Amino acid sequence: MAVGTPFHPRTSALNKSLNWRHWSGYFTAGCYHDFIQPEYAAIRNKAALIDVSPLYKYSVEGPGATALMQRVFTRDVSKCSPMQAIYTPWCDSGGQVMQEGTVFRLDDDSYQVNAAEPTMRWLRLNSAGLDLTIADRSAAVAALALQGPTSRRILNACFDGDVDGLRFFHLVAGTIGSVPVTVSRTGYTGDLGYEVWIPADRAIAVWDALLDVGQPHGITPCGILAMDVARVEAGFILIDVDYISAERALIPEHTSSPYELGLGWAVKLDKGNFVGRDALVAESARGAGRRVVGICIDWEPLEEIHAADNLMPDLPQLACREPVPVYAAEGQVGRVTTRCWSTLLKKYIGIATVEACYASPGTAVEMELTVNFRRRRVPAAVVQLPHFRPPRMRE
Amino acid sequence: MTKRYDAVVIGAGHNGLVCAAYLARAGKSVLVLERRHLVGGATVTEEVFPGFKFSVCSYVVSLMRPRIISELDLPRFGFELLPLDGTLSPTPDGDYLMRWHDAEETRRELARFSTADAEAYEQFGKLMYHLAMTVRPMLSATPPDPSSLAPANLAALASVGKTFGRNADHLYDLAKLMTMSSADFVEEWFESEPLLGSLSASGIIGTFLGPRSPGSAYVMLHHYMGEIDGQFRAWGLPRGGMGAVAESIAGAARSFGAEIRTAAPIERILVENGTARGVVLEGGEEVRADTVVSSLDPKRTFLGLVGAEHLDDEFVSAIKRYKIRGSSGKVNLALDALPRPTCLEGIEHKTGFPAESYLRGAISISPDIDYLERAYRDAKYGRFSRRPYMDIVLPTLADPSMAPPGKHVMSIFVQYAPYELAEGTWEQQREAFGDTVIDTLADYIPNLKDIILHRQVITPWDLEQKFGLTQGNIFHGELSLEQLFFLRPVAGWADYRTPLKKMYQCGSGTHPGGGVMGAPGRLAAQKILAEGA
C-alpha cells in the first residue's frame, strides 16, 4: 500500500476528486479538480504547485564525490560550478540508459542526485576506492515544483534568496518563513519554474507559506496528470513510458542508448572514462539505430476519418501512455509511447521512437488509432522536440 | 466379463488425474484406481475436526502449469485460486520483515534493514525471472537423453540448446544456481539476516539439504518459477483447499469419460513376458488394460507393485539408490481466533495497516541462515529440529469456508523431520514433535497456545503410511541435480517409459519433479499417446 508524502495532510484535504496516483510507493494527487485543464492552465499562465517529493534524492559528499559523478554520469560534471545543476543520463556498462535525472553541485565535493528510481546501489557499486559518503535523502527531503509564469513573483514574495539573479539550472539557498530550503531553477514542465527542496519535517510550513503569498499570483495546487501533458509539450521523456530503464528491461531490445533517446548532446566522450563509454564510442561512430522524436498527427485526415463515422475527433485530454505502432510504407517502423492533445498548441502531439531513417523532421508516417472500435492509420509527421518551449523558461 | 481398458492409472493424485484426463481427452478408455476413499493423493482437503477443513499435505499452488489449467479448463470444474499476499518473516527480537505483492512497499520494508538489499531485490527478481524463463520451456517438454542420437531426441536437444541460446547471458548464473547452496547464492546479493533466511529457506523445502548444502539453490528456483496469471513467483490458495484442485482435475477427467474408483488399493501390477497387462487389486480382482501407468513414486512402483523379479538388476539397483529421504512434516491447527504475533502488536498504529493484512500471505519462521542450518544439523543426526523452519499459511483469511465462522485453520509446514529417527519411532515421537513446533511458534505468537482447539501432527512416517509417499518425501524423490531432468528418476528412463512394455510412470518422481505442477502427468500422457497406446 502506498503512503502519503510529507504534504499529505494538505494534499489530501484538497484532493476532493480522490484522484490519487501511485508514484514510487507514495500517494500523489493525479488531479485535484474534476478535470486537468485548470491545473494545466496554471502551469502555463499562473503558477502550479506540484508535490514531487517521491523523487529519489541522494547526497554524495567527500573528496571522491566528483570522481564518482564523472564515473557514473555521461556529462562532464567538472564543468558544473557549485550551486549549478545539470541534467544527465547514466548508463550501464553496455551504454544503455539506466535513468536520467538532475545532479546538483552544492559545493566542490558535495552533490545531490535526483532520480526517478532508486539508485543507491548503482552509486555504491561505482564508488569502490573513492573517499566519499552516500546517503539516501529521499524520505528526509520533501520537494515542491512551482512552475509557471508567476512562479518568480511568488518566490520573491516569500523566499530570502536571490531569485531574480537565479539563472536556469542554478541553485540558491535561503529560507521560506524560518525553514531553510534550496531552490533550483529546474522543472519538468518546460516553463519558467523552480523546485524547492525542503526538510521533510517542515514541509507543511513551506506549503502553507507558498499558498499564502501565492494567492494574488494565482498559485494553484496541481496534480501530476497536468504535469504529464506539459512535459510532453516540453519534449521531456519519461522513464518506463518513453523508454525502459536498462536496469528493468527484460530483453536487450527493450533498452535504449542516450543517442537513441536524443540525449547524445549529454554524452561527453572526451571527458575521460565513465560507465558505458566504450559502447557509446562505438555507437557514436555507428549511429543510433532508432531515435526518440516528436510526432504530430495531421488534423484534417484525423477529422475526416472520424467524420466518416459521424463522430467528432476523439482527442486524448490526458497523456496516453499506451504505446501504439508507427507505420511507414514497408510496415511498422516504431511506436508512439506518449500522446496527448495539446490544448495550448491545438495539436495532437506525442513522443515516439522510430527507426533512424524515419527520424528526420518532416518525415511522413502513420500512427495507429482506434476509431469507432476499428484500428485505423492516421497520417502524422515526425517533428523536432520540443513541441513547445517558451523563452521564459530560460530568461 | 470384466471391462478391459485402454489404460489404467494407479493413484489419483494430481499427476495421475492429469494423465488420465489427457488420455481420456484423446478418446482412450481410462480407469483411475485410488487406494484411499478420496481422490487427491497429497493434494487433498479433509475435514479433520468437525467444521475444520485442512489442506492436509500440500497447501499452496504456484507450479501448476497454465497450459494444463487451460487445456483441461479446470476453472469449469471448481479450480479457483485465491491470492496469497506476501511473506511475513518475524524475527526473534520482535521485529519482522514483510515482503508484499507491491514492489514499492516491499522496497520500503527491506530498506528498514538495508538500503542496498532494498535496491538489489528488484535486480535479484530480474535474475530469477531470466533463470525461470530458461527453465520454463523444459517444464513442458520431455527431457532429451544426451546419450541418444535418435532424430527426435536430437531435435529435443536442439530445442534445449535454443532456449539456452536465447538466455545465453544467464547461463553462468544458471550454472551457479545448479551447483551452489541457496545460502551462498543469496549472500552474493543481500546482507540482512531476515531476508537471507527467508530467501534461502526456499532452497530447503522438501529437501534433505541445509541452506549451506550445495544444490539447494536449484530448489530455490523450483519454488520461484511457479506462475499464476502470468506472474512468476506468485502463490495462491485454492478455494476449498488443495482437494479442490484434485477434484477439478478429476472433474475434467470424468467429463472426458474417465472412470475413477476410490478405495481400490492395488496389490501388484500384472506382468507377462516383460509386458504390463493390468493390475491386481487387494482382494484378488484383476483389471486388464493395454497400458498401465503409475503415478506412485519410483520405489513404490518398481520395488513394490512391479517387483524386482520382473526387472533387470541394474535398473533395480538404480531405483534402490534413488534418493527419497523425507525431511518434513506438518502441523495443522484448528484455531479459536486469529493468532497475534508479537511483531504485529500496535502495527496498525505504526503503519496504518491492520495486523490481519500481514497474515494474508505466508509466515516464514526463518530468522537467519544459521537458524536454518542448525535445524538441518539436528536432522542429519536423526533428530527432528529443536528449532524448526516453518512455512505457515492461514487459509481461512482468504477462504472462510474452511472453518466455522470466526474460527481459523493454520497450516504449518515443518522442516526438518527425518524419516529415520536416531531414537524411538515416529509413533512415539509424534506428539513431542508437535510440541516442539507449537513451543517454537509460541515464541513468535504468544497467544497461540490459548487459541488452539485441535491439532493434527503429520510426520514423515504418516506421510508414508497414510499418503503413500515413500519415506515421507513430498517430491517423490529429492530435487537434487543428479536426479533431475534426463536423470529423473534414473538415467535412461526419464521419458516416462519403464523397462516393462506397455507400462509408464507419470508421478513427481519423473521430470520435472514435485510440487503441484501436473507436468509429469501431462508429459506422460503425451508419451503414451505418441507411442500409439
Side-chain angles (χ1 to χ4, degrees):
Chain A
M1 192 70 80
V3 297
T5 73
F7 300 106
H8 198 68
R10 293 293 181 270
T11 54
S12 57
L14 286 166
N15 192 359
K16 302 292 188 205
S17 72
L18 298 185
N19 183 339
W20 294 104
R21 299 286 151 152
H22 288 192
W23 177 7
S24 296
Y26 289 95
F27 284 116
T28 40
C31 178
Y32 295 94
H33 298 76
D34 292 334
F35 66 128
I36 68 161
Q37 303 314 340
E39 294 173 18
Y40 169 78
I43 293 172
R44 297 288 181 226
N45 298 284
K46 302 188 287 185
L49 187 66
I50 309 163
D51 179 3
V52 294
S53 302
L55 285 170
Y56 290 87
K57 306 131 212 148
Y58 303 92
S59 73
V60 182
E61 289 175 5
T66 302
L68 175 64
M69 301 293 105
Q70 289 290 65
R71 189 179 290 179
V72 169
F73 300 120
T74 61
R75 282 191 67 186
D76 188 350
V77 182
S78 71
K79 301 273 171 63
C80 181
S81 310
M83 297 309 271
Q84 191 180 347
I86 54 165
Y87 166 81
T88 181
W90 53 99
C91 297
D92 66 8
S93 56
Q96 302 301 299
V97 177
M98 298 176 70
Q99 289 194 53
E100 18 83 59
T102 53
V103 178
F104 296 169
R105 187 167 199 168
L106 303 172
D107 208 335
D108 281 342
D109 292 332
S110 172
Y111 296 87
Q112 176 177 323
V113 176
N114 307 302
E117 295 287 331
T119 197
M120 181 76 147
R121 174 181 148 81
W122 190 244
L123 293 175
R124 277 207 187 145
L125 278 173
N126 285 289
S127 64
L130 296 175
D131 181 8
L132 50 78
T133 56
I134 307 170
D136 184 348
R137 305 276 295 151
S138 304
V141 177
L144 285 173
L146 184 67
Q147 303 279 308
T150 66
S151 54
R152 183 179 289 151
R153 273 178 262 160
I154 295 170
L155 279 179
N156 266 325
C158 65
F159 175 63
D160 60 5
D162 178 11
V163 180
D164 290 329
L166 183 59
R167 286 179 293 145
F168 188 60
F169 262 73
H170 281 72
L171 318 168
V172 59
T175 58
I176 291 178
S178 61
V179 183
V181 300
T182 300
V183 171
S184 60
R185 192 166 159 192
T186 50
Y188 199 49
T189 62
D191 217 295
L192 171 67
Y194 303 86
E195 288 170 310
V196 187
W197 310 84
I198 311 157
D201 54 355
R202 307 191 65 185
I204 298 281
V206 172
W207 173 280
D208 290 345
L210 285 169
L211 269 190
D212 187 37
V213 306
Q215 221 60 48
H217 306 290
I219 193 168
T220 306
C222 170
I224 59 173
L225 294 176
M227 182 165 69
D228 207 9
V229 170
R231 69 103 188 162
V232 175
E233 292 173 340
F236 296 146
I237 53 174
L238 179 57
I239 190 167
D240 289 337
V241 175
D242 299 305
Y243 73 100
I244 300 171
S245 163
E247 223 172 352
R248 190 163 286 176
L250 293 171
I251 56 175
E253 198 193 338
H254 285 182
T255 63
S256 304
S257 74
Y259 298 110
E260 292 175 330
L261 297 184
L263 299 177
W265 61 271
V267 179
K268 303 299 179 192
L269 294 175
D270 52 2
K271 74 165 187 171
N273 199 23
F274 59 91
V275 182
R277 183 176 178 277
D278 290 351
L280 293 174
V281 167
E283 184 172 334
S284 77
R286 191 173 66 230
R290 54 184 187 213
R291 298 295 295 262
V292 164
V293 295
I295 195 155
C296 185
I297 290 88
D298 299 349
W299 173 257
E300 282 182 18
L302 183 74
E303 194 179 45
E304 280 164 17
I305 206 167
H306 283 85
D309 284 334
N310 204 24
L311 292 167
M312 281 282 284
D314 186 10
L315 307 172
Q317 305 294 315
L318 298 177
C320 179
R321 296 174 172 188
E322 192 75 26
V324 289
V326 172
Y327 297 98
E330 74 268 37
Q332 187 176 346
V333 297
R335 69 245 179 208
V336 176
T337 47
T338 315
R339 61 207 152 93
C340 65
W341 175 251
S342 168
T343 54
L344 179 79
L345 304 170
K346 300 295 177 234
K347 281 181 181 166
Y348 192 154
I349 57 172
I351 293 175
T353 298
V354 295
E355 289 170 21
C357 55
Y358 296 93
S360 314
T363 305
V365 292
E366 290 181 320
M367 183 187 84
E368 182 178 292
L369 188 70
T370 299
V371 178
N372 195 16
F373 312 116
R374 285 193 289 272
R375 288 186 190 192
R376 313 293 286 272
R377 292 181 188 183
V378 290
V382 171
V383 298
Q384 186 90 47
L385 288 175
H387 296 287
F388 174 69
R389 179 141 308 167
R392 62 179 178 261
M393 180 176 94
R394 290 173 164 275
E395 277 167 1
Chain B
M1 180 70 195
T2 46
K3 182 172 172 185
R4 185 186 172 86
Y5 293 89
D6 291 333
V8 60
V9 177
I10 303 168
H14 61 274
N15 278 316
L17 292 168
V18 165
C19 185
Y22 276 97
L23 293 176
R25 183 170 170 258
K28 304 294 174 192
S29 64
V30 181
L31 174 67
V32 184
L33 295 169
E34 167 57 41
R35 183 174 57 94
R36 294 194 71 205
H37 63 284
L38 78 176
V39 301
T43 309
V44 285
T45 307
E46 295 187 60
E47 189 169 330
V48 181
F49 309 106
F52 292 91
K53 294 181 203 156
F54 293 90
S55 294
V56 178
C57 302
S58 63
Y59 52 100
V60 281
V61 172
S62 173
L63 289 161
M64 190 75 193
R65 304 318 301 151
R67 194 176 282 198
I68 294 173
I69 297 171
S70 162
E71 285 173 345
L72 300 182
D73 199 6
L74 297 183
R76 203 179 123 211
F77 301 98
F79 177 89
E80 182 177 349
L81 289 185
L82 305 170
L84 198 64
D85 183 11
T87 302
L88 175 72
S89 309
T91 58
D93 60 0
D95 200 353
Y96 67 92
L97 171 67
M98 184 75 195
R99 289 182 287 143
W100 298 93
H101 178 78
D102 179 76
E104 304 289 353
E105 186 67 20
T106 301
R107 184 187 297 154
R108 200 154 35 219
E109 288 280 359
L110 291 171
R112 292 201 298 121
F113 294 88
S114 157
T115 313
D117 284 6
E119 292 190 20
Y121 192 68
E122 192 174 343
Q123 291 306 301
F124 180 75
K126 191 171 137 179
L127 171 68
M128 295 304 274
Y129 172 95
H130 286 298
L131 295 179
M133 282 301 287
T134 311
V135 176
R136 190 173 184 265
M138 296 176 211
L139 300 180
S140 302
T142 298
D145 186 338
S147 72
S148 156
L149 296 176
N153 193 64
L154 289 177
L157 271 175
S159 165
V160 172
K162 201 171 149 198
T163 301
F164 279 164
R166 262 206 303 267
N167 293 282
D169 292 351
H170 305 287
L171 286 187
Y172 301 130
D173 291 311
L174 189 65
K176 286 166 76 172
L177 187 92
M178 286 297 195
T179 51
M180 285 173 85
S181 75
S182 63
D184 283 346
F185 193 77
V186 297
E187 277 175 339
E188 288 196 346
W189 285 85
F190 304 110
E191 59 191 22
S192 60
E193 291 293 349
L195 181 61
L196 290 169
S198 180
L199 285 176
S200 62
S202 301
I204 59 172
I205 291 176
T207 305
F208 208 95
L209 294 175
R212 298 202 190 279
S213 313
S216 51
Y218 170 74
V219 181
M220 191 166 69
L221 179 64
H222 199 83
H223 288 98
Y224 235 89
M225 68 193 178
E227 56 183 287
I228 296 175
D229 304 334
Q231 302 277 319
F232 276 129
R233 208 173 68 85
W235 289 82
L237 285 166
R239 187 177 131 95
M242 294 300 292
V245 175
E247 290 287 355
S248 72
I249 307 167
R254 285 193 194 99
S255 79
F256 298 126
E259 292 173 43
I260 300 169
R261 268 176 71 184
T262 54
I266 288 163
E267 188 188 289
R268 63 190 169 88
I269 292 170
L270 268 174
V271 182
E272 293 167 4
N273 301 324
T275 304
R277 301 287 188 196
V279 296
V280 181
L281 273 62
E282 282 178 17
E285 182 188 344
E286 269 188 27
V287 178
R288 294 250 161 193
D290 289 341
T291 299
V292 175
V293 193
S294 172
S295 69
L296 311 188
D297 69 59
K299 284 194 200 273
R300 278 181 74 91
T301 298
F302 296 110
L303 306 180
L305 296 183
V306 172
E309 65 275 22
H310 294 295
L311 300 161
D312 70 65
D313 291 347
E314 201 179 332
F315 181 79
V316 169
S317 55
I319 294 293
K320 281 183 176 162
R321 281 196 305 268
Y322 181 67
K323 281 196 312 195
I324 194 163
R325 297 169 298 179
S327 61
S328 56
K330 267 198 85 184
V331 174
N332 294 316
L333 299 178
L335 301 178
D336 198 27
L338 261 188
R340 291 204 310 269
T342 310
C343 65
L344 299 181
E345 286 301 321
I347 194 76
E348 185 160 9
H349 182 68
K350 268 188 273 183
T351 67
F353 309 134
E356 195 184 301
S357 60
Y358 290 80
L359 299 173
R360 290 201 187 107
I363 305 165
S364 179
I365 305 297
S366 51
D368 55 61
I369 291 172
D370 285 348
Y371 176 99
L372 301 172
E373 190 66 25
R374 275 194 294 271
Y376 175 53
R377 195 178 53 197
D378 288 335
K380 266 196 296 193
Y381 305 114
R383 304 198 310 179
F384 56 81
S385 304
R386 293 308 182 251
R387 306 283 289 171
Y389 159 66
M390 288 176 253
D391 185 47
I392 302 162
V393 293
L394 287 155
T396 29
L397 282 175
D399 182 3
S401 75
M402 299 293 279
K407 315 284 187 204
H408 292 278
V409 291
M410 184 188 244
S411 157
I412 310 170
F413 172 85
V414 189
Q415 197 153 322
Y416 296 82
Y419 175 75
E420 303 265 12
L421 287 174
E423 288 171 29
T425 66
W426 269 114
E427 287 195 288
Q428 293 162 342
Q429 296 282 326
R430 185 187 292 116
E431 295 312 313
F433 174 61
D435 291 344
T436 297
V437 169
I438 302 300
D439 288 343
T440 304
L441 194 54
D443 287 350
Y444 298 90
I445 307 175
N447 75 329
L448 183 67
K449 290 180 182 174
D450 302 332
I451 58 175
I452 296 175
L453 298 173
H454 310 283
R455 89 174 185 195
Q456 178 191 34
V457 181
I458 299 171
T459 69
W461 191 80
D462 300 316
L463 289 173
E464 179 179 73
Q465 296 302 309
K466 193 166 178 185
F467 299 96
L469 301 169
T470 298
Q471 295 191 23
N473 185 292
I474 63 171
F475 292 142
H476 280 199
E478 288 174 60
L479 298 178
S480 46
L481 198 50
E482 79 280 14
Q483 314 195 142
L484 285 174
F485 205 45
F486 57 81
L487 297 174
R488 192 170 187 87
V490 297
W493 301 103
D495 59 356
Y496 311 97
R497 291 182 306 117
T498 70
L500 298 182
K501 291 191 193 85
K502 294 296 190 180
M503 180 174 163
Y504 297 84
Q505 40 182 346
C506 72
S508 294
T510 57
H511 172 81
V516 183
M517 185 159 14
R522 176 173 175 271
L523 291 168
Q526 284 179 347
K527 182 74 182 177
I528 294 163
L529 294 169
E531 296 211 327

